[in-house]
Amino acid sequence: MGAKTGLLVYADGDVPDLLRQVEAADSERTFAMMRRLYPAWEIAEAAGSDLWEGVYPPDGTVYAASWPGVEIVCDRRVMTDTPSRLPRHLVEASAGRRLVLHAMHSVVDSLAFAVWEDGRLRRSLSLSPDGGITENIGEPFSFELSYWAGDRPADIIPWPDEDEEPYPLPFHPLDLGEEALRALCGFVQEGRPEPDDVDADGIDLHGFLVRDPNRARSVEKEAALKRAVEAMEPPRAHSMGPDGSLIERDSL
């Protein structure tokens, strides 16, 4: 599967510390959180997952859990190249709290993470080897410093019979992505676990099928228009006859 995440965490303090204390998440509390974060969306309960497996759900599925002090939402829709543009209502839901976004995709080696404190963006970083640095806002966290200093260069093995090209970034985004995930959320997707890591596969998440009715109506309208166009007769072309009358001619 590779390292892939689409994760939001709302917390009243340090996320790893809070996650080490959680027990089974209440389903009604979690559903109420989903109603707040997905207003007017169609939400239906589905099979759940755990925090290690569920950080990259299937399309249309959200894995989530709500406890006193900390809440988790795993959804591909939060994966973005510009974390600072996260939908306003998701940021406003973090009033008085910390909000962490972590989005990583191993296929394109992309990483985006951001932290808000009481609704104020403190740090946002988004980069990939193809797109370069898309967003770099705020002071780097301490766990980033060795990467920016050049102490953690990307270890890239070139294809056989190809010259090695310099890596376009001072480090590999996925390496920093795992470091960020551990520092901000307490666990990693790949790499060697540490003794004090959060037991992510022991934290159960509830599952939900989530659909934006506005998007669904837009898709239905597009499909109806396509059907109407396909049902139309071929266009007819006319030319002016010598007597001024219109004469239908074969269309090209």
Side-chain angles (χ1 to χ4, degrees):
M1 181 182 74
K4 302 174 186 176
T5 63
L7 174 67
L8 287 180
V9 184
Y10 297 85
D12 292 344
D14 182 72
V15 174
D17 285 346
L18 290 166
L19 289 180
R20 292 186 188 100
Q21 303 172 40
V22 300
E23 298 180 352
D26 181 77
S27 59
E28 292 185 4
R29 181 188 181 97
T30 301
F31 194 84
M33 177 195 70
M34 291 293 296
R35 285 294 185 199
R36 293 196 310 271
L37 299 182
Y38 296 82
W41 287 47
E42 297 176 6
I43 303 173
E45 294 185 8
S49 185
D50 59 65
L51 183 55
W52 191 81
E53 290 279 358
V55 289
Y56 186 71
D59 278 330
T61 298
V62 174
Y63 296 129
S66 175
W67 303 271
V70 61
E71 296 176 314
I72 288 175
V73 177
C74 302
D75 187 349
R76 292 191 191 186
R77 278 165 286 226
V78 307
M79 300 177 74
T80 175
D81 294 332
T82 52
S84 65
R85 299 181 183 176
L86 187 70
R88 181 182 298 275
H89 76 279
L90 294 178
V91 176
E92 290 176 346
S94 68
R97 315 180 80 187
R98 163 175 278 208
L99 171 59
V100 174
L101 178 151
H102 193 282
M104 184 166 61
H105 203 300
S106 57
V107 174
V108 293
D109 290 348
S110 67
L111 166 68
F113 70 84
V115 175
W116 291 259
E117 302 285 0
D118 192 16
R120 181 182 63 84
L121 183 63
R122 175 181 174 188
R123 175 69 172 138
S124 175
L125 178 66
S126 174
L127 72 169
S128 68
D130 291 335
I133 299 176
T134 305
E135 197 163 85
N136 187 3
I137 300 172
E139 292 295 321
F141 289 111
S142 59
F143 65 79
E144 301 179 54
L145 297 181
S146 62
Y147 290 86
W148 293 113
D151 298 336
R152 306 286 294 273
D155 184 15
I156 303 299
I157 300 175
W159 290 99
D161 302 323
E162 290 187 7
D163 294 333
E164 183 175 1
E165 294 288 338
Y167 195 71
L169 295 169
F171 50 82
H172 199 292
L174 299 186
D175 291 342
L176 177 57
E178 294 289 352
E179 195 88 41
L181 188 60
R182 170 175 278 137
L184 298 174
C185 300
F187 66 98
V188 294
Q189 278 286 281
E190 295 186 340
R192 181 176 298 175
E194 295 183 356
D196 60 347
D197 279 354
V198 169
D199 181 17
D201 59 1
I203 298 177
D204 291 330
L205 305 177
H206 296 282
F208 303 91
L209 298 178
V210 180
R211 189 175 74 147
D212 182 355
N214 294 324
R215 173 59 182 161
R217 284 192 289 268
S218 176
V219 170
E220 290 171 0
K221 288 181 180 178
E222 291 174 5
L225 178 59
K226 182 179 180 181
R227 290 193 298 269
V229 171
E230 292 174 347
M232 293 173 64
E233 296 181 359
R236 294 185 295 175
H238 297 79
S239 60
M240 188 75 71
D243 60 353
S245 61
L246 291 176
I247 301 173
E248 186 173 349
R249 58 184 175 83
D250 293 337
S251 60
L252 297 178

